[in-house]
Amino acid sequence: MPEGPSILIIKEILAPQMTGKKILSASGNAKIDMAQLVDKKIVQLRCWGKHLLISLPDCTIRIHFLMFGTYSIDEQTKQDRSLRLKLELGKKHIYFYTCSVKLLDGDINLIYDWEGDVLNEKWSMAKARKKLKEMPGTMVCDALLDQQVFAGVGNIIKNEVLYRIKLHPETRIGSIPPRKLSSLINEARNYSFDFLKWKKAFTLKKHWLAHTKKICSRCQLPLLKKYCGKTKRRSFFCSNCQIKYK
DNA sequence: TGCCATGTTAAACT
DNA sequence: GAGTTTAACATGGC
């Protein structure tokens, strides 16, 4: 479930089911004050990067699905011990499993920078470029996973973006030529929308060109698999096609 | 069966 | 105190 586009899909499914409904009861093993949620009306659902945000009049429930989080509607599909939050909304029951649940007080516009979310209509290329300028020594594989710069980008998007723009994951931000930096920022958003489209069509894996792949579709040479950067996440790349600037 | 992974945080190290 | 490493969470695919 975890990358930004997957969260957006969940939001789109849940929003019509939840918006405007009153929470009749809240339970689960999330370490939050459940009582605070009862009798509150759900004002709106949003998402930022990998966060699903359920806003009530005075606070927001923040769901982060981590690696294995799931949800279900009306039917409890998992064991109690992984049930973090159950919301009873009239006849509807919404379940969240193995996720991180937090309550955020007040106005979330003060917490979240919508311009930093690659899928948001307010996404700002200029702002991303500015943030990147401030981290010249960071490897691009780490920068793409930095949620402060590219909220919503995960490891799959990282690998596919770098493959598309022919850039080596271990290239440091400061040595990327300006035009290549532009394509990086562009493609982080662009690929995220392709991911969204393919995920909705259940054809995401089919479209992977780098992630978990063995052969470069461009030059037919074997792809390398390496745990790169400070984040030490799997990188799949072609050392022949993907340039490492120095 | 055992390992690994679309992720993040916090504790435990140096 | 800063920076780095490890553990924890818990499930499903191969």
Side-chain angles (χ1 to χ4, degrees):
Chain A
M1 288 289 163
E3 302 196 25
S6 302
I7 307 305
L8 179 57
I9 292 168
I10 296 174
K11 190 211 77 175
E12 287 178 352
I13 292 168
L14 290 180
Q17 310 257 6
M18 299 178 76
T19 311
K21 303 275 172 59
K22 191 203 270 187
I23 299 173
L24 301 182
S25 76
S27 56
N29 59 17
K31 292 183 181 66
I32 57 165
D33 176 18
M34 297 289 173
Q36 196 184 330
L37 308 180
V38 180
D39 282 337
K40 299 283 168 60
K41 194 171 171 179
I42 295 172
V43 178
Q44 72 168 347
L45 263 68
R46 304 178 77 173
C47 51
W48 178 88
K50 300 164 189 168
H51 299 197
L52 175 66
L53 303 165
I54 304 168
S55 289
L56 313 180
D58 57 346
C59 72
T60 293
I61 307 168
R62 191 212 74 177
I63 310 274
H64 194 301
F65 289 89
L66 301 173
M67 199 82 105
F68 317 116
T70 53
Y71 75 100
S72 64
I73 302 169
D74 286 337
E75 192 179 0
Q76 190 174 339
T77 58
K78 299 277 162 58
Q79 296 176 22
D80 279 359
R81 94 193 141 95
S82 64
L83 179 57
R84 299 284 175 269
L85 180 64
K86 172 186 176 183
L87 296 175
E88 189 188 345
L89 315 168
K91 286 183 185 170
K92 283 255 174 297
H93 295 73
I94 313 288
Y95 302 84
F96 294 101
Y97 309 94
T98 32
C99 50
S100 155
V101 181
K102 280 190 179 167
L103 289 187
L104 308 173
D105 285 321
D107 185 2
I108 50 170
N109 291 306
L110 304 176
I111 300 172
Y112 289 102
D113 174 14
W114 308 105
E115 296 185 353
D117 178 350
V118 293
L119 288 171
N120 199 286
E121 57 185 17
K122 295 200 169 111
W123 163 253
S124 163
M125 270 193 77
K127 208 158 176 178
R129 183 182 282 267
K130 193 178 164 214
K131 289 172 187 168
L132 290 172
K133 289 275 182 202
E134 291 165 6
M135 47 173 84
T138 303
M139 287 182 180
V140 65
C141 58
D142 291 330
L144 273 169
L145 293 174
D146 186 334
Q147 300 299 295
Q148 293 309 309
V149 184
F150 296 106
V153 170
N155 206 36
I156 297 171
I157 296 174
K158 175 196 84 177
N159 282 321
E160 295 297 320
V161 166
L162 293 174
Y163 184 79
R164 271 192 177 181
I165 65 169
K166 301 183 184 174
L167 184 60
H168 192 291
E170 292 174 321
T171 307
R172 296 193 187 273
I173 294 295
S175 53
I176 301 174
R179 290 201 173 171
K180 191 64 95 175
L181 197 63
S182 300
S183 12
L184 171 73
I185 298 166
N186 255 325
E187 212 50 50
R189 175 172 167 90
N190 195 33
Y191 184 84
S192 294
F193 278 104
D194 282 340
F195 184 122
L196 177 66
K197 178 178 68 190
W198 291 327
K199 181 91 182 172
K200 282 180 173 173
F202 305 101
T203 59
L204 179 63
K205 270 190 195 179
K206 195 178 85 181
H207 288 91
W208 287 347
L209 295 177
H211 195 256
T212 71
K213 306 304 271 187
K214 304 261 191 248
I215 302 289
C216 174
S217 63
R218 283 190 284 247
C219 72
Q220 310 305 319
L221 289 173
L223 291 180
L224 297 184
K225 172 186 167 185
K226 183 178 176 186
Y227 292 82
C228 295
K230 289 192 174 172
T231 45
K232 294 194 176 74
R233 302 293 304 278
R234 286 192 301 176
S235 288
F236 298 88
F237 59 98
C238 177
S239 57
N240 180 47
C241 296
Q242 292 175 247
I243 303 165
K244 186 172 183 180
Y245 296 92
K246 296 211 169 156

PDB file of all heavy atoms in Angstrom, chain A residues 133-154:
ATOM      1  N   LYS A 133      19.036  22.311  -3.734  1.00  0.00           N
ATOM      2  CA  LYS A 133      20.237  23.159  -3.757  1.00  0.00           C
ATOM      3  C   LYS A 133      20.922  23.168  -2.390  1.00  0.00           C
ATOM      4  O   LYS A 133      22.137  23.359  -2.297  1.00  0.00           O
ATOM      5  CB  LYS A 133      19.871  24.603  -4.127  1.00  0.00           C
ATOM      6  CG  LYS A 133      19.456  24.782  -5.568  1.00  0.00           C
ATOM      7  CD  LYS A 133      20.640  24.971  -6.501  1.00  0.00           C
ATOM      8  CE  LYS A 133      20.151  25.183  -7.930  1.00  0.00           C
ATOM      9  NZ  LYS A 133      21.170  24.874  -8.930  1.00  0.00           N
ATOM     10  N   GLU A 134      20.104  22.980  -1.367  1.00  0.00           N
ATOM     11  CA  GLU A 134      20.636  23.031  -0.004  1.00  0.00           C
ATOM     12  C   GLU A 134      21.249  21.711   0.450  1.00  0.00           C
ATOM     13  O   GLU A 134      21.717  21.598   1.578  1.00  0.00           O
ATOM     14  CB  GLU A 134      19.525  23.456   0.972  1.00  0.00           C
ATOM     15  CG  GLU A 134      19.121  24.911   0.775  1.00  0.00           C
ATOM     16  CD  GLU A 134      17.810  25.263   1.455  1.00  0.00           C
ATOM     17  OE1 GLU A 134      17.267  24.392   2.185  1.00  0.00           O
ATOM     18  OE2 GLU A 134      17.322  26.385   1.244  1.00  0.00           O
ATOM     19  N   MET A 135      21.223  20.714  -0.424  1.00  0.00           N
ATOM     20  CA  MET A 135      21.815  19.424  -0.051  1.00  0.00           C
ATOM     21  C   MET A 135      22.710  18.874  -1.163  1.00  0.00           C
ATOM     22  O   MET A 135      22.476  17.768  -1.652  1.00  0.00           O
ATOM     23  CB  MET A 135      20.719  18.422   0.335  1.00  0.00           C
ATOM     24  CG  MET A 135      19.550  18.351  -0.625  1.00  0.00           C
ATOM     25  SD  MET A 135      18.421  17.008  -0.217  1.00  0.00           S
ATOM     26  CE  MET A 135      17.406  17.783   1.014  1.00  0.00           C
ATOM     27  N   PRO A 136      23.737  19.632  -1.548  1.00  0.00           N
ATOM     28  CA  PRO A 136      24.577  19.235  -2.687  1.00  0.00           C
ATOM     29  C   PRO A 136      25.308  17.911  -2.487  1.00  0.00           C
ATOM     30  O   PRO A 136      25.600  17.209  -3.447  1.00  0.00           O
ATOM     31  CB  PRO A 136      25.574  20.392  -2.814  1.00  0.00           C
ATOM     32  CG  PRO A 136      25.576  21.058  -1.480  1.00  0.00           C
ATOM     33  CD  PRO A 136      24.184  20.899  -0.951  1.00  0.00           C
ATOM     34  N   GLY A 137      25.596  17.558  -1.232  1.00  0.00           N
ATOM     35  CA  GLY A 137      26.362  16.345  -0.980  1.00  0.00           C
ATOM     36  C   GLY A 137      25.516  15.092  -0.883  1.00  0.00           C
ATOM     37  O   GLY A 137      26.036  13.981  -0.771  1.00  0.00           O
ATOM     38  N   THR A 138      24.194  15.250  -0.914  1.00  0.00           N
ATOM     39  CA  THR A 138      23.287  14.108  -0.779  1.00  0.00           C
ATOM     40  C   THR A 138      23.196  13.338  -2.091  1.00  0.00           C
ATOM     41  O   THR A 138      23.112  13.924  -3.154  1.00  0.00           O
ATOM     42  CB  THR A 138      21.882  14.610  -0.384  1.00  0.00           C
ATOM     43  OG1 THR A 138      21.993  15.359   0.825  1.00  0.00           O
ATOM     44  CG2 THR A 138      20.910  13.466  -0.171  1.00  0.00           C
ATOM     45  N   MET A 139      23.230  12.020  -1.982  1.00  0.00           N
ATOM     46  CA  MET A 139      23.060  11.200  -3.184  1.00  0.00           C
ATOM     47  C   MET A 139      21.608  11.290  -3.640  1.00  0.00           C
ATOM     48  O   MET A 139      20.686  11.340  -2.819  1.00  0.00           O
ATOM     49  CB  MET A 139      23.407   9.741  -2.888  1.00  0.00           C
ATOM     50  CG  MET A 139      24.896   9.489  -2.724  1.00  0.00           C
ATOM     51  SD  MET A 139      25.178   7.722  -2.451  1.00  0.00           S
ATOM     52  CE  MET A 139      26.964   7.717  -2.298  1.00  0.00           C
ATOM     53  N   VAL A 140      21.430  11.257  -4.945  1.00  0.00           N
ATOM     54  CA  VAL A 140      20.084  11.433  -5.494  1.00  0.00           C
ATOM     55  C   VAL A 140      19.128  10.321  -5.034  1.00  0.00           C
ATOM     56  O   VAL A 140      17.935  10.559  -4.839  1.00  0.00           O
ATOM     57  CB  VAL A 140      20.122  11.558  -7.041  1.00  0.00           C
ATOM     58  CG1 VAL A 140      20.611  10.280  -7.700  1.00  0.00           C
ATOM     59  CG2 VAL A 140      18.771  11.970  -7.584  1.00  0.00           C
ATOM     60  N   CYS A 141      19.668   9.121  -4.773  1.00  0.00           N
ATOM     61  CA  CYS A 141      18.796   8.036  -4.294  1.00  0.00           C
ATOM     62  C   CYS A 141      18.211   8.369  -2.923  1.00  0.00           C
ATOM     63  O   CYS A 141      17.071   8.015  -2.620  1.00  0.00           O
ATOM     64  CB  CYS A 141      19.559   6.711  -4.254  1.00  0.00           C
ATOM     65  SG  CYS A 141      21.030   6.730  -3.215  1.00  0.00           S
ATOM     66  N   ASP A 142      18.996   9.068  -2.096  1.00  0.00           N
ATOM     67  CA  ASP A 142      18.494   9.482  -0.780  1.00  0.00           C
ATOM     68  C   ASP A 142      17.562  10.687  -0.901  1.00  0.00           C
ATOM     69  O   ASP A 142      16.549  10.777  -0.206  1.00  0.00           O
ATOM     70  CB  ASP A 142      19.657   9.848   0.151  1.00  0.00           C
ATOM     71  CG  ASP A 142      20.481   8.631   0.559  1.00  0.00           C
ATOM     72  OD1 ASP A 142      19.902   7.523   0.637  1.00  0.00           O
ATOM     73  OD2 ASP A 142      21.686   8.784   0.808  1.00  0.00           O
ATOM     74  N   ALA A 143      17.909  11.608  -1.783  1.00  0.00           N
ATOM     75  CA  ALA A 143      17.103  12.829  -1.948  1.00  0.00           C
ATOM     76  C   ALA A 143      15.689  12.495  -2.415  1.00  0.00           C
ATOM     77  O   ALA A 143      14.715  13.079  -1.942  1.00  0.00           O
ATOM     78  CB  ALA A 143      17.782  13.773  -2.934  1.00  0.00           C
ATOM     79  N   LEU A 144      15.578  11.530  -3.335  1.00  0.00           N
ATOM     80  CA  LEU A 144      14.246  11.167  -3.841  1.00  0.00           C
ATOM     81  C   LEU A 144      13.365  10.577  -2.743  1.00  0.00           C
ATOM     82  O   LEU A 144      12.145  10.714  -2.775  1.00  0.00           O
ATOM     83  CB  LEU A 144      14.372  10.169  -4.996  1.00  0.00           C
ATOM     84  CG  LEU A 144      14.548  10.767  -6.389  1.00  0.00           C
ATOM     85  CD1 LEU A 144      14.925   9.695  -7.388  1.00  0.00           C
ATOM     86  CD2 LEU A 144      13.267  11.487  -6.852  1.00  0.00           C
ATOM     87  N   LEU A 145      13.990   9.927  -1.773  1.00  0.00           N
ATOM     88  CA  LEU A 145      13.207   9.315  -0.690  1.00  0.00           C
ATOM     89  C   LEU A 145      12.953  10.296   0.456  1.00  0.00           C
ATOM     90  O   LEU A 145      12.229   9.964   1.400  1.00  0.00           O
ATOM     91  CB  LEU A 145      13.942   8.070  -0.155  1.00  0.00           C
ATOM     92  CG  LEU A 145      14.045   6.892  -1.122  1.00  0.00           C
ATOM     93  CD1 LEU A 145      14.906   5.784  -0.527  1.00  0.00           C
ATOM     94  CD2 LEU A 145      12.660   6.349  -1.460  1.00  0.00           C
ATOM     95  N   ASP A 146      13.557  11.482   0.361  1.00  0.00           N
ATOM     96  CA  ASP A 146      13.390  12.482   1.423  1.00  0.00           C
ATOM     97  C   ASP A 146      11.990  13.091   1.324  1.00  0.00           C
ATOM     98  O   ASP A 146      11.672  13.812   0.367  1.00  0.00           O
ATOM     99  CB  ASP A 146      14.466  13.571   1.262  1.00  0.00           C
ATOM    100  CG  ASP A 146      14.456  14.569   2.411  1.00  0.00           C
ATOM    101  OD1 ASP A 146      13.391  14.750   3.052  1.00  0.00           O
ATOM    102  OD2 ASP A 146      15.512  15.166   2.672  1.00  0.00           O
ATOM    103  N   GLN A 147      11.161  12.790   2.317  1.00  0.00           N
ATOM    104  CA  GLN A 147       9.760  13.222   2.278  1.00  0.00           C
ATOM    105  C   GLN A 147       9.602  14.733   2.423  1.00  0.00           C
ATOM    106  O   GLN A 147       8.543  15.283   2.121  1.00  0.00           O
ATOM    107  CB  GLN A 147       8.950  12.481   3.349  1.00  0.00           C
ATOM    108  CG  GLN A 147       8.965  10.970   3.183  1.00  0.00           C
ATOM    109  CD  GLN A 147       8.365  10.525   1.865  1.00  0.00           C
ATOM    110  OE1 GLN A 147       7.174  10.716   1.618  1.00  0.00           O
ATOM    111  NE2 GLN A 147       9.172   9.930   0.990  1.00  0.00           N
ATOM    112  N   GLN A 148      10.645  15.387   2.889  1.00  0.00           N
ATOM    113  CA  GLN A 148      10.592  16.847   2.974  1.00  0.00           C
ATOM    114  C   GLN A 148      10.761  17.476   1.590  1.00  0.00           C
ATOM    115  O   GLN A 148      10.408  18.625   1.368  1.00  0.00           O
ATOM    116  CB  GLN A 148      11.676  17.379   3.922  1.00  0.00           C
ATOM    117  CG  GLN A 148      11.462  16.992   5.371  1.00  0.00           C
ATOM    118  CD  GLN A 148      10.049  17.335   5.863  1.00  0.00           C
ATOM    119  OE1 GLN A 148       9.581  18.453   5.696  1.00  0.00           O
ATOM    120  NE2 GLN A 148       9.370  16.353   6.452  1.00  0.00           N
ATOM    121  N   VAL A 149      11.343  16.719   0.669  1.00  0.00           N
ATOM    122  CA  VAL A 149      11.558  17.239  -0.687  1.00  0.00           C
ATOM    123  C   VAL A 149      10.527  16.657  -1.658  1.00  0.00           C
ATOM    124  O   VAL A 149       9.890  17.381  -2.413  1.00  0.00           O
ATOM    125  CB  VAL A 149      12.978  16.903  -1.187  1.00  0.00           C
ATOM    126  CG1 VAL A 149      13.210  17.533  -2.566  1.00  0.00           C
ATOM    127  CG2 VAL A 149      14.030  17.384  -0.206  1.00  0.00           C
ATOM    128  N   PHE A 150      10.380  15.319  -1.611  1.00  0.00           N
ATOM    129  CA  PHE A 150       9.484  14.625  -2.545  1.00  0.00           C
ATOM    130  C   PHE A 150       8.467  13.781  -1.763  1.00  0.00           C
ATOM    131  O   PHE A 150       8.531  12.546  -1.800  1.00  0.00           O
ATOM    132  CB  PHE A 150      10.285  13.700  -3.463  1.00  0.00           C
ATOM    133  CG  PHE A 150      11.270  14.392  -4.377  1.00  0.00           C
ATOM    134  CD1 PHE A 150      12.637  14.330  -4.126  1.00  0.00           C
ATOM    135  CD2 PHE A 150      10.830  15.085  -5.501  1.00  0.00           C
ATOM    136  CE1 PHE A 150      13.547  14.952  -4.979  1.00  0.00           C
ATOM    137  CE2 PHE A 150      11.735  15.707  -6.359  1.00  0.00           C
ATOM    138  CZ  PHE A 150      13.095  15.640  -6.099  1.00  0.00           C
ATOM    139  N   ALA A 151       7.570  14.429  -1.066  1.00  0.00           N
ATOM    140  CA  ALA A 151       6.594  13.677  -0.268  1.00  0.00           C
ATOM    141  C   ALA A 151       5.760  12.780  -1.169  1.00  0.00           C
ATOM    142  O   ALA A 151       5.186  13.243  -2.158  1.00  0.00           O
ATOM    143  CB  ALA A 151       5.704  14.626   0.511  1.00  0.00           C
ATOM    144  N   GLY A 152       5.720  11.501  -0.825  1.00  0.00           N
ATOM    145  CA  GLY A 152       4.950  10.538  -1.602  1.00  0.00           C
ATOM    146  C   GLY A 152       5.816   9.584  -2.403  1.00  0.00           C
ATOM    147  O   GLY A 152       5.391   8.492  -2.747  1.00  0.00           O
ATOM    148  N   VAL A 153       7.050  10.005  -2.697  1.00  0.00           N
ATOM    149  CA  VAL A 153       7.946   9.135  -3.451  1.00  0.00           C
ATOM    150  C   VAL A 153       8.468   8.016  -2.560  1.00  0.00           C
ATOM    151  O   VAL A 153       8.888   8.264  -1.426  1.00  0.00           O
ATOM    152  CB  VAL A 153       9.139   9.941  -4.029  1.00  0.00           C
ATOM    153  CG1 VAL A 153      10.202   9.009  -4.608  1.00  0.00           C
ATOM    154  CG2 VAL A 153       8.658  10.903  -5.102  1.00  0.00           C
ATOM    155  N   GLY A 154       8.424   6.793  -3.040  1.00  0.00           N
ATOM    156  CA  GLY A 154       8.946   5.637  -2.320  1.00  0.00           C
ATOM    157  C   GLY A 154       9.999   4.941  -3.172  1.00  0.00           C
ATOM    158  O   GLY A 154      10.417   5.465  -4.214  1.00  0.00           O
TER     159      GLY A 154
END
